[in-house]
């Protein structure tokens, strides 16, 4: 499994069977991402909510790659109206793509599509649990504040191995709440996201790493934009 971070909440997962997954591909307007959007390939593209920094280039990449766009029912209706292939789902539901199972989970955040002339309702903001062919589970939290289902539903039921958590503050959890979130979810590894893209979400991820690793056995992996983590 390869997990590449493009900065912000944009990730690529390439599974053992070479399925290419993109999550929140905010690439061309992402000041930290130096990778040209034309280079990205995808089979499946997941969008956690309708904000421009998460929808990003999802539609352009989907169109060019004939990739399937997956989001809430409301986002899926929007994608379909643009003539794109899309599947909608909702919180608590799962979809299978061959041997990969994806579950939509809650996130506490505003969901609407904000880059159109008028704001369009986007259903709910969400996170995703990706269960890959080998059973490994990756949790992408989307944009969210701390919520107790991270302990009960996500930690105790879905038991992710790797959690991708926002630490930028202001629009999502900051580092302190993300430390609590990580303790509740209790994965083996955490990768911080949604920080240092813009001045308003500036954070030092090393403080998050040092604190969490001192207080728990969780390993924090700090990626730079464009870097890949493999296991
Ligand atoms: Ni957002
Ligand atoms: Mn955001």
């Amino acid at each position: 499994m390869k997990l590449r971070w493009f900065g912000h909440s944009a990730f690529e997962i390439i599974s053992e069977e070479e399925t290419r997954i993109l999550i929140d591909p905010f690439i061309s307007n992402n000041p930290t991402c130096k990778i040209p959007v034309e280079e990205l390939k995808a089979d499946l593209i997941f969008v956690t909510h309708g904000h421009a920094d998460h929808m990003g280039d999802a539609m352009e990449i989907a169109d060019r790659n004939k990739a399937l766009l997956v989001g809430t029912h409301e986002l899926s209706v929007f994608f379909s109206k643009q003539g794109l292939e899309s599947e909608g789902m909702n919180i608590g539901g799962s979809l299978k793509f061959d041997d990969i199972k994806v579950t939509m989970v809650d996130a506490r955040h505003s969901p609407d599509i904000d880059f159109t002339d008028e704001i369009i309702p986007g259903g709910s903001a969400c996170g995703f649990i990706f269960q890959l062919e080998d059973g490994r589970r990756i949790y992408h939290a989307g944009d969210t504040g701390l919520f107790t289902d991270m302990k009960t539903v996500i930690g105790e039921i879905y038991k992710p191995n790797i959690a991708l958590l926002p630490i930028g503050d202001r629009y999502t959890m900051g580092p302190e709440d993300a430390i609590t979130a990580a303790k509740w979810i209790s994965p083996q590894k955490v990768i911080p996201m949604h920080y240092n893209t813009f001045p308003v979400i500036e954070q030092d991820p090393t403080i998050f790493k040092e604190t969490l690793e001192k207080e728990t056995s969780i390993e924090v992996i700090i990626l730079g934009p464009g870097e890949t983590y493999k296991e």
Side-chain angles (χ1 to χ4, degrees), residues 48-54 109-110 114 143 171-172 194:
T48 61
H49 61 292
H51 292 163
D53 59 320
H54 297 261
H109 191 71
S110 59
D114 64 356
D143 277 1
Y171 302 108
T172 67
H194 210 275

Side-chain angles (χ1 to χ4, degrees), residues 14 20 34 55 104 111 127-128 140 143 160 169 171 184 208:
I14 303 178
R20 289 174 166 271
K34 302 284 175 267
M55 289 279 248
M104 184 176 275
F128 292 104
H140 187 298
D143 277 1
D169 212 342
Y171 302 108
W184 284 353
F208 172 75

